[in-house]
Amino acid sequence: MPGSTRIIPLGGLGEVGKNTTVFEADGEAIVIDAGLAFPRDEHLGVDLILPDFTYLTNLDKPIRAVLLTHGHEDHVGSLPYLLRQARVQEVWATRLTLGLIKSKLDEHGLLRSTELKEADPDGEPVQLGPFRAEFVRVAHSIPDAVAIVLETPGGRIVHTGDYKMDHTPVDGLRTDVGRLAEVGNRGVDLLLGDSTNAERPGVTGSERLVGEAFRQLIPPREGRILVASFASNVHRMQQAIDVAVDVGRKVCVVGRSMRKNINIARNLGYIEVPEDVLIQPKELDDYGRGDVLILCTGSQGEPLSALVRIAYNDHPAIKVEAGDTVIISAKPVPGNELKVHDAINELARSGAEVLHQEVAPVHVSGHGNAEELRLMLGLVRPKSVMPVHGEFRMLAAHARLAVESGVPENRIVLAENGSVVELDESGAYLTGKVDSGVTFVDGLGVGDVQDVALRDRRHLSEDGVLIVVATLTGQNGSVAGQPELIARGFAEPGEPLLEEMREEAQRVLDGLIKDNVTEIKLLQEHLHDGLGQLIYDRTGRRPMILPVVVEV
């Protein structure tokens, strides 16, 4: 008698990020991807956002396996937290993905917490309890991405992961359409498909288009060239390095995550860089401005990233000036647009020419557009479709494409995080709901907002609080009057320490304004650090310091 399989998305539906999906059958469970999301401005004090893993921690048996489709943070970033909270027998990932997660797990002290196994897209399927998994190569904006085909008691499932139909990828490894068609010939009962670009018509451009743009843009320029991209975009970095080598420029890599990823990719053979080409940031002044190319993080305008520090003249080793060129080779993630535009404005104010996707072909997406989603539907020919990986409007657009491709409307499953989808011989259908909230990571602990609030209250009760309010004039960014200080719990009005703190705040602000550092978060960080050190030196205490910078 045919069985059934339960599919439970814990993240990635109705949002971009936190991609995590549970598959259950015969009392066993496997998980595809364990991703995270990054906080928005309203998530004050939050560093990372994870899926709520309570459902997985409450399972009777250990998770049979975690299967990873590729190495992006929205698919692997929460793996250390999952391994810490739930019992996991083994993790499967392709070679580069495995290299990236080994580094991540090592940082968390979890490298030996579970068995890590290499998935081979050209190898034999893997038996995992009642599940049989095979990995199919797909093209994406990071090497070694795969789709996963699951043979389950309830039917055959294809999870596409992130993909596009790039016919000229940098490494020559295309999406394996022949294998996908062969899987389609076997019969696919349910397709879980990437929906990110479902609203966009046509086809996504090839990654090689960016390399061609680099070859047109970089050689004629005489000043320093900075290329900002995602730290995981190995192919993008390789293409920039290749052009730098051809025109005789040295390459300097700036940003911790980018340096780490390049080292991992070089060690595994995914990036080739002549040893004499790479230089350290401290060596930049030894070369002419036209003799270097700088690869850096910060393409999303992250406040403390390398590019933003450079834009606001706050980087210890790198400054931009007239004649330099900055290439932002990435698209702003929704919600980051204003931060990216602010960085572009500051770089332009310094005299640099800034090239981004609105003015030059310096970026292509790693996700397939509508025609590529149609091609995937045509290759796999699924009986049922469950759009995943995207905001609800993207899922709905993918659902419409599936209907246009011949999938009956009653075979489209529009689920949400926490939905329980049952797959059996009669099809796929919604049957219930499980708890599926979010978990906030605040740098010191993992938990919900209540945990953060309790920590802050404890901090306040032990060391007090200092609020420093600095006012800048909007016209020229100068300081309007002395900073105001409000201290509670460690310094009373009239104490000499309070006046010393005010002078320190004024000194920090004057120094930053003199160096043209006006980005609010950078000002707040320097105020926090300067006052924190002074107070600790004088009192041995660490009050909560809340810098407020107001523009008038």
Side-chain angles (χ1 to χ4, degrees):
M1 180 177 176
S4 67
T5 301
R6 287 175 17 129
I7 301 103
I8 306 169
L10 296 181
L13 274 66
E15 61 186 353
V16 175
K18 318 204 260 94
N19 300 285
T20 306
T21 309
V22 185
F23 298 81
E24 294 181 335
D26 297 348
E28 298 263 15
I30 64 171
V31 177
I32 291 184
D33 287 336
L36 55 72
F38 293 100
R40 299 196 178 192
D41 287 343
E42 63 266 26
H43 296 125
L44 297 174
V46 174
D47 296 320
L48 303 172
I49 302 176
L50 315 177
D52 182 355
F53 293 130
T54 303
Y55 180 79
L56 293 172
T57 59
N58 290 337
L59 292 176
D60 293 334
K61 290 184 178 180
I63 298 167
R64 183 66 184 79
V66 175
L67 313 179
L68 302 174
T69 58
H70 63 285
H72 280 153
E73 289 292 295
D74 60 331
H75 292 259
V76 304
S78 69
L79 181 64
Y81 304 94
L82 174 59
L83 295 183
R84 191 174 283 130
Q85 294 178 48
R87 299 169 295 163
V88 177
Q89 291 186 12
E90 56 195 39
V91 176
W92 286 81
T94 50
R95 190 160 174 258
L96 178 61
T97 308
L98 210 56
L100 295 173
I101 65 168
K102 280 181 179 177
S103 172
K104 187 183 297 291
L105 294 179
D106 191 31
E107 288 180 0
H108 285 257
L110 294 169
L111 194 52
R112 292 176 177 81
S113 64
T114 192
E115 191 171 0
L116 303 178
K117 295 191 173 183
E118 184 176 328
D120 183 2
D122 300 316
E124 294 297 314
V126 177
Q127 195 68 42
L128 304 166
F131 303 98
R132 188 165 173 265
E134 56 183 298
F135 302 89
V136 181
R137 193 179 303 282
V138 295
H140 186 41
S141 54
I142 186 172
D144 266 8
V146 291
I148 296 174
V149 181
L150 286 181
E151 307 280 354
T152 79
R156 186 174 292 111
I157 301 171
V158 173
H159 189 302
T160 66
D162 292 0
Y163 73 96
K164 66 178 183 179
M165 301 295 182
D166 191 342
H167 299 298
T168 57
V170 173
D171 59 5
L173 299 173
R174 305 174 181 83
T175 294
D176 195 341
V177 293
R179 183 103 166 273
L180 290 168
E182 186 271 322
V183 171
N185 289 337
R186 284 187 248 158
V188 173
D189 297 290
L190 178 63
L191 172 71
L192 277 65
D194 174 14
S195 308
T196 309
N197 284 352
E199 297 175 299
R200 296 186 186 178
V203 175
T204 302
S206 169
E207 179 64 28
R208 282 194 187 274
L209 294 175
V210 179
E212 293 169 9
F214 287 167
R215 293 195 177 279
Q216 295 295 319
L217 296 169
I218 291 175
R221 283 167 166 75
E222 297 180 355
R224 274 185 182 171
I225 296 176
L226 286 77
V227 179
S229 76
F230 284 110
S232 60
N233 201 330
V234 172
H235 292 153
R236 194 76 47 92
M237 292 186 280
Q238 179 71 73
Q239 293 185 108
I241 290 167
D242 289 345
V243 178
V245 171
D246 289 348
V247 298
R249 287 180 181 255
K250 299 293 185 182
V251 175
C252 178
V253 182
V254 182
R256 177 179 171 273
S257 57
M258 186 169 282
R259 288 198 307 271
K260 182 183 77 171
N261 288 356
I262 280 188
N263 286 337
I264 292 170
R266 287 184 76 199
N267 291 337
L268 295 175
Y270 290 88
I271 278 188
E272 294 182 5
V273 192
E275 198 60 48
D276 61 345
V277 167
L278 291 175
I279 62 172
Q280 297 295 321
K282 62 185 178 183
E283 301 176 75
L284 283 168
D285 290 338
D286 298 337
Y287 296 89
R289 301 191 75 81
D291 297 328
V292 296
L293 181 142
I294 299 167
L295 291 174
C296 67
T297 55
S299 62
Q300 296 303 304
E302 304 96 315
L304 304 181
S305 63
L307 184 66
V308 172
R309 287 189 179 277
I310 294 166
Y312 286 92
N313 202 27
D314 188 50
H315 195 280
I318 302 170
K319 298 187 185 306
V320 294
E321 58 186 45
D324 293 344
T325 303
V326 180
I327 299 173
I328 300 179
S329 187
K331 179 189 176 185
V333 172
N336 288 348
E337 294 90 349
L338 290 178
K339 290 185 286 188
V340 174
H341 293 164
D342 287 345
I344 290 173
N345 285 328
E346 291 303 316
L347 290 163
R349 199 187 308 276
S350 301
E353 181 183 7
V354 185
L355 302 175
H356 50 88
Q357 67 163 11
E358 301 296 330
V359 297
V362 293
H363 173 68
V364 294
S365 175
H367 301 267
N369 286 1
E371 286 305 316
E372 290 155 282
L373 271 59
R374 283 195 177 96
L375 177 55
M376 177 65 77
L377 289 161
L379 291 168
V380 174
R381 304 188 300 284
K383 296 174 185 174
S384 299
V385 172
M386 177 176 161
V388 296
H389 197 299
E391 298 172 8
F392 194 84
R393 60 191 173 88
M394 303 167 185
L395 307 182
H398 195 174
R400 288 192 294 273
L401 292 174
V403 171
E404 292 169 8
S405 299
V407 180
E409 281 195 49
N410 63 354
R411 292 294 188 117
I412 307 290
V413 182
L414 280 173
E416 300 176 340
N417 292 339
S419 296
V420 178
V421 178
E422 195 90 17
L423 175 65
D424 59 27
E425 60 183 349
S426 64
Y429 46 91
L430 292 165
T431 62
K433 193 92 171 154
V434 303
D435 290 337
S436 63
V438 298
T439 302
F440 293 123
V441 177
D442 72 338
L444 297 178
V446 182
D448 56 19
V449 176
Q450 286 77 16
D451 291 335
V452 178
L454 286 172
R455 186 209 69 190
D456 288 348
R457 289 174 187 171
R458 191 176 302 115
H459 189 173
L460 288 167
S461 70
E462 292 171 354
D463 289 321
V465 61
L466 171 68
I467 301 171
V468 53
V469 181
T471 305
L472 306 181
T473 60
Q475 293 180 341
N476 56 14
S478 62
V479 181
Q482 278 195 321
E484 297 178 41
L485 270 67
I486 304 167
R488 294 291 184 269
F490 74 98
E492 297 302 322
E495 283 190 18
L497 176 59
L498 209 58
E499 188 58 34
E500 192 174 357
M501 289 188 295
R502 184 177 285 108
E503 291 172 1
E504 173 66 12
Q506 187 74 51
R507 185 192 67 77
V508 170
L509 284 169
D510 289 343
L512 292 169
I513 298 303
K514 183 180 178 182
D515 291 336
N516 296 318
V517 178
T518 57
E519 206 278 330
I520 298 296
K521 289 190 181 297
L522 291 175
L523 291 172
Q524 290 173 333
E525 185 200 27
H526 284 282
L527 279 171
H528 178 281
D529 292 349
L531 290 171
Q533 190 62 51
L534 172 67
I535 294 166
Y536 185 77
D537 289 343
R538 298 291 184 272
T539 68
R541 300 170 72 179
R542 298 190 185 278
M544 180 177 289
I545 300 173
L546 303 175
V548 179
V549 179
V550 180
E551 289 184 302
V552 296

